[in-house]
Amino acid sequence: MPRKKPFSVKQKKKQLQDKRERKRGLQDGLRSSSNSRSGSRERREEQTDTSDGESVTHHIRRLNQQPSQGLGPRGYDPNRYRLHFERDSREEVERRKRAAREQVLQPVSAELLVLDIWEVYQPGSVLDFPRRPPWSYEMSKEQLMSQEERSFQEYLGKVHGAYTSEKLSYFEHNLETWRQLWRVLEMSDIVLLITDIRHPVVNFPPALYEYVTGELGLALVLVLNKVDLAPPALVVAWKHYFHQHYPQLHIVLFTSFPRDPRTPQDPSSVLKKSRRRGRGWTRALGPEQLLRACEAITAGKVDLSSWREKIARDVAGATWGNGSGEEEEEEDGPAVLVEQQTDSAMEPTGPTRERYKDGVVTIGCVGFPNVGKSSLINGLVGRKVVSVSRTPGHTRYFQTYFLTPSVKLCDCPGLIFPSLLPRQLQVLAGVYPIAQIQEPYTAVGYLASRIPVQALLHLRHPEAEDPSAEHPWCAWDICEAWAEKRGYKTAKAARNDVYRAANSLLRLALDGRLSLCFQPPGYSEQKGTWESHPETMELVVLQGRVGPAGDEEEEEEEEELSSSCEEEGEEDRDADEEGEGDEDTPTSAPGSSLAARNPYALLGEDEC
């Protein structure tokens, strides 16, 4: 009798979907017409025209695709905003798997922890972003769409013609998502570029800065988000780095979940998952700074007094928890007017558009996936109005929210700009869906060579009989040791499920519980100066830090990191299996504050 093959969760879902379709009695003609339209669209997307007229075929991976029952009565495609990335070849995937098994991990030098924007984006090169071609109201919708499609294909041809796939990072190949960015930039009076403080250079494309401040003539506010995940000295160093290179920027420090400064630090609860379930949106750190920046930009042309009054009400009404980490979500409050922008209506662009129309300032929020755009809007509003998730591509189309009668926020889907970043760093930064990665082991190796994952998680080498003996580690060994510790087993042979373990480690890095922070150039040499900087002292107070943690407290926190990861129940296990991770919890969580306090997070130390 042949052995039974394992039946995955995805296969089971597909089986149930097919069963439901049969029960609904869908007509065969509808299925065939839908499939033919879908197939023709995919063939058109794979065909790319270069600038010299030659045709080149690029295989594109479409991620986060949803089940579709046809295009609907109005021709709406629910998958029009799904992520499109270039597909890795099977040979490249197998090569990386072999390297993960054979390559011994070595701690990298401090120089490799430095990120300079000139190396990542090479300003002035073809690593630009697609621009909306010129148009007029006399053009029909079909003419406009055709012109935008042609311009976008030419752009892709230039990028792929100048760089090989091995050098290029993942970047968005879906024109529909870029159209969302064009619309947000056209309707905005002020543009917020949200970045993750752990690697802000990754999320800051210089081409967007030049376009917004130059061609559009708009003010650009750089939001360094999730400041609770990095040491205060590093936050201040990054702030001055951007001030030095981009003097027109207005820089704001932000976090949606600062710690309660009145609650004593409890090392045993730093990484408890219950802390991540709190939704104290009114406690966000940064709305006051953002208001001051907008007041300086508008220069009295818009009455922002209602915004200042709202911040005062939120501060007065904020109720801190009882110290146990349990927080109550505020459900009541004034209604927030939400406008969903799903059509392709055209707006006047550039200088022809009336600024601050009807006395309302429109603030557009743009940035890469998983930098916290939706959490920032929730923090400004004071309660949850936008669904947040750690899965890239969760926000499908932009929406507008009236913060006050004179302030309108616009949330744009996350967009990945082309760069020369290592793809492993993109995975750790959360711009690529972890559940969709074919080969996650090299990303784990990239992480483990920069922070001591084995020591932080107290892993035992799979081949070590004596726990005290030294053994060389590779990325595969780390995944296998973590699978053994968590009890991840395969369904068929009950072997250690290293793939699931690798996904689990990457999620820990994404959530900030395994913190990898990069440095601006010259940070190591001037680290003492930044630690004693007056702004650092102010940030320490704002973050609720009463002082640096002692050695004994740090060791307790490292022990809690390992034990708390083991205590995570079936919720995380289900997320690993189904690949969604669609929680109502933000990636910037108060429980992740260990990132700025354990000795391994202060990158640049000799032991790292």
Side-chain angles (χ1 to χ4, degrees), residues 189-190 291 294-308 353-363 402 404-408:
D189 301 308
I190 300 174
L291 171 60
C294 293
E295 287 176 338
I297 294 170
T298 56
K301 297 178 182 178
V302 179
D303 183 12
L304 299 179
S305 59
S306 59
W307 190 0
R308 184 169 293 279
R353 179 182 178 274
E354 180 183 354
R355 300 285 175 82
Y356 314 123
K357 187 177 181 181
D358 300 326
V360 177
V361 57
T362 302
I363 303 176
F402 275 90
T404 69
S406 61
V407 180
K408 183 168 66 172

Side-chain angles (χ1 to χ4, degrees), residues 200-229:
V201 169
V202 174
N203 313 130
F204 187 89
L208 182 64
Y209 167 81
E210 298 294 341
Y211 179 71
V212 171
T213 59
E215 295 186 34
L216 297 183
L218 300 177
L220 183 63
V221 179
L222 176 63
V223 179
L224 299 177
N225 198 18
K226 307 181 184 181
V227 295
D228 57 315
L229 298 184

Side-chain angles (χ1 to χ4, degrees), residues 35-53:
N35 293 336
S36 63
R37 284 194 295 265
S38 177
S40 62
R41 281 199 311 276
E42 293 182 358
R43 285 192 295 272
R44 288 198 303 270
E45 288 169 352
E46 290 181 357
Q47 190 68 20
T48 302
D49 296 334
T50 58
S51 56
D52 58 359

